[in-house]
Amino acid sequence: MRLTGLHAMPLLLRAAIAWAVGTAAGLSAVPVVLLSLVAATAMLLALVRRSWLGWAPLLLIGAAGLQLGAELRRADDRCLAAAARADRWQVRLREAAAAGRFVRADLVVRTCRVRVALAVRSGVAPAGATVDVPRAEPGAGDRGLLLREARFTLVAGPGPLARWRTRVARALDGRFGTDAPLVRALLVADSRGLPTELRERYADAGLVHILSISGLHVAIVGGALLLLFQALRLGVTAAGAAAVGVTTLYVLAIGAPPPAARSVTLFAATTLARMLQRPVSPWGTFALGALVPLVEPRTVLDLGWQLSVAGYAAIVVAGRIGRRRLPETWRGWRRALARELIAGVLTTMVTAPLVAWHFGRLSLVSPLSNLAAAPVVSLLQPALFVAMLVPIAGVADFVADAARPLLRALDAVATAAAAVPGGVATVAPTRTVAVLASVAAALLLAAGWSRRWRTPLAGACAALALAAWVPEGAGARAPVAEFHLLDVGQGDAIALRSPKGRWVLVDAGRAWSSGDAGRATVIPHLRRRGGALALLVLTHPHADHLGGAASVLRALGPREVRDAAFVERSALYRGVLAAAAAAGARWQRVRPGERIDIDGLELEFLAPDSAWTAALGDPNEASTVLRARFGEVRLLLTGDAERAEERWLLEHAPGSLAAEVLKVGHHGSPTSTTEHFLQAVAPRIALVSVGAGNVYGHPGPEVMRRLLDSGATVLRTDQLGTVILRTDGRSLEVEAAGHRWTVARALPATR
């Protein structure tokens, strides 16, 4: 009897699902990932086989994966513990290292590899180099070993692939200028230099996957190479082999990220089947592509791999829906457009639980934006690939110039999609909701593929209804205060959270032509975590500090606004004052000595004095300076205060400057953070809010040297993104770039 629906899925796919779930269950330390995968897979398996005989081998495969994952996790824990006890480390750098930088590296301990993060105190080395670290303060972070105050020496230079990537990055910088960060992200998986507003724009448009090497990029490159070799009159076999070979070398050269490895495996399998003129099952090649990256089993917990697998599964099911459900009379462009829309909508729905959990937002315009972006990327990616590989400078420059209109078109799509009113939904799912949404996504795939679609579709609807019914609930909050240094590029936005979940926001980042950091970063960050905004503090009326304030006022409606009251006639500042009045927020001038208590979080304003402000012509020197305190832990926020205001503080409030955490003034400009001021503060943590590759050269090298010499650990948003500090009043925990570590378990008595 011929099997239909999910029963016709190949055995390899069922085995792949069971193996991935078992391995994830063994490896995962995050309950939501484990529960989501297990629940979703249980639903799929229940539809695939109804008899125990069908379940038995799959359960055995899953159990084997579970055992392997658990053993790997135990081995990793042993390796991490051994590395943390060592007194010397030799690591391979993933990125260039220099004093004051926070860089990623890998440490090989016998048969296992430990991920390392270095907070560098001294030493310079390029990406890919091997360095010896004889001095550091080790600790275990959430994502491996953390080496603070690291001092290292160069052992060996980077390998050939690392040197190639460096040369390519430099060549791309020269050919593409200001477009180079986007081009590097599209070609060599280097997204560190992308401006914050560009990331946010693409995220709002549902196109953020384009900013990293994914299966889409590899598939386009592979297809273009196949057409090229066929145009060169190579035979079918030779053209296919050449295209697969070059694409595989490209994926290996960029570091074989899991989505790219999945895609090149799928491309190779499909090309081989065509060369042999053999029918190919979409689920068979899908399972093969999903399994090959799992040669390294830890890949199963990689978000890129999860999104790639879920997205391609949705594309396979969408193809079946299109063949079955679209009217036969629909031909040509109408049918092609309908199939692309089905694929876009289904992919958005299936990946929504992962996107919502990790990014806190959903782009509702994603199907349309991807439909518009697809033809642009299909032309852009091969052009960039040629510009990267062509050794003749003149030809490469010509291709680069030809690609610029496509880059502009892609950005235009992102800008238009991000500007659609209501196009982005800010979400903050609980673990229960995330599990139910994952179950619904799995059942939606089952309904799309199976001929008996009513039962799984009803189950998906029931899961979504249950997710909507689950009360949001704030939940019990730990008695801690939090300090969030938000990554808003070249600007400032610091959010302080009280033990009861209320927020104080100090500045709201900058604005740009199509948006601002308030709407793009601050509001989603606060809303995802819940809690009301009790107070907005504006340090001074410069656009990189109050650019997002009007959006924050309209969306979050704080009761009070504190402002330095420096007279400023700019339209942006007047707009902020108008937004405060419209929101019903009570505006007050900052007064030195004023104290505010919000649920045990104490705020003390230190500057500016009104008499001091009246004599100034520079808003920076009239910055609001305040010290936040919870228990024995203090955070000093200085806005863009420069030397003169620091001297004023040393004269008028010398006893109020000591703090464990300093938000470095004026983004680390040489005009701030003088030696005497730094001695008075004596921080353990120095926070620098700064944009990647900014034109001002912030933070200044001399400021970085003073901070490092003072013994402070420097944390920068251009290197780490958003930094979160948590304190119970005595200990201080830092969360940055996926790592957590304790600064001090018992802080000294108040100075």
Side-chain angles (χ1 to χ4, degrees), residues 490-492 545 638-643 646 662-674 686-691 694 696-707 714 716:
Q490 186 67 18
D492 267 16
H545 289 249
T638 59
D640 277 358
E642 298 186 344
R643 292 190 184 97
E646 289 180 356
L662 169 67
K663 202 291 295 182
V664 175
H666 202 181
H667 320 289
S669 166
T671 60
S672 303
T673 319
T674 60
L687 305 175
V688 183
S689 183
V690 64
N694 66 86
Y696 308 102
H698 295 161
E702 58 270 45
V703 173
M704 290 297 299
R705 177 50 55 195
R706 287 198 292 270
L707 291 169
V714 180
R716 298 164 44 171

Side-chain angles (χ1 to χ4, degrees), residues 204-435:
D204 288 349
L207 299 173
V208 72
H209 60 93
I210 290 177
L211 300 180
S212 60
I213 296 295
S214 66
L216 171 67
H217 300 74
V218 175
I220 291 172
V221 168
L225 287 170
L226 187 59
L227 290 175
L228 173 63
F229 291 131
Q230 288 174 347
L232 294 175
R233 304 299 183 123
L234 294 181
V236 175
T237 301
V244 170
V246 174
T247 307
T248 302
L249 288 175
Y250 168 58
V251 170
L252 292 174
I254 62 175
R262 180 204 63 77
S263 184
V264 75
T265 303
L266 179 66
F267 176 62
T270 304
T271 303
L272 179 62
R274 288 175 180 170
M275 289 163 53
L276 298 176
Q277 296 184 351
R278 299 290 300 273
V280 58
S281 164
W283 286 122
T285 54
F286 165 74
L288 185 63
L291 278 175
V292 166
L294 296 186
V295 170
E296 167 49 68
R298 298 170 185 83
T299 301
V300 76
L301 296 184
D302 181 86
L303 176 62
W305 180 85
Q306 294 171 1
L307 287 171
S308 179
V309 168
Y312 189 73
I315 290 173
V316 173
V317 173
R320 189 179 181 96
I321 294 174
R323 290 190 298 272
R324 284 183 173 179
R325 305 298 178 189
L326 291 179
E328 292 294 333
T329 55
W330 285 19
R331 300 292 181 186
W333 67 268
R334 181 181 298 180
R335 191 173 190 85
L337 180 62
R339 293 180 67 173
E340 290 296 327
L341 282 174
I342 292 172
V345 171
L346 189 61
T347 300
T348 299
M349 296 175 71
V350 169
T351 58
L354 288 169
V355 173
W357 177 258
H358 287 278
F359 300 111
R361 74 179 77 182
L362 288 175
S363 175
L364 304 181
V365 297
S366 177
L368 294 176
S369 63
N370 277 274
L371 184 65
V376 178
V377 177
S378 297
L379 295 174
L380 174 62
Q381 196 70 19
L384 297 178
F385 188 74
V386 171
M388 176 181 68
L389 291 184
V390 170
I392 305 172
V395 177
D397 291 340
F398 174 79
V399 176
D401 290 339
R404 290 182 191 279
L406 294 172
L407 287 168
R408 299 289 179 272
L410 179 61
D411 198 62
V413 172
T415 301
V420 174
V424 182
T426 302
V427 291
T430 63
R431 290 179 176 177
T432 302
V433 170
V435 170

Side-chain angles (χ1 to χ4, degrees), residues 75-91 107-109 112-117 133-148 739-741 745:
D76 288 346
D77 291 342
R78 290 193 296 269
C79 289
L80 181 59
R85 291 193 299 268
D87 55 6
R88 196 180 195 97
W89 303 266
Q90 194 169 98
V91 302
L107 168 67
V108 177
V109 182
C112 56
R113 187 179 299 273
V114 177
R115 288 188 292 183
V116 180
V133 187
R135 292 184 59 187
E137 298 176 7
D142 279 6
R143 298 188 181 179
L145 179 69
L146 177 69
L147 299 177
R148 302 188 300 277
H739 291 271
R740 295 187 186 187
W741 70 92
R745 293 193 178 280

Side-chain angles (χ1 to χ4, degrees), residues 173-232:
D173 289 346
R175 288 170 187 158
F176 287 95
T178 57
D179 293 323
L182 177 57
V183 175
R184 290 200 308 271
L186 292 171
L187 281 177
V188 293
D190 180 6
S191 58
R192 287 169 294 171
L194 288 173
T196 301
E197 65 269 23
L198 186 144
R199 289 178 183 271
E200 296 296 335
R201 183 163 65 250
Y202 278 66
D204 288 349
L207 299 173
V208 72
H209 60 93
I210 290 177
L211 300 180
S212 60
I213 296 295
S214 66
L216 171 67
H217 300 74
V218 175
I220 291 172
V221 168
L225 287 170
L226 187 59
L227 290 175
L228 173 63
F229 291 131
Q230 288 174 347
L232 294 175

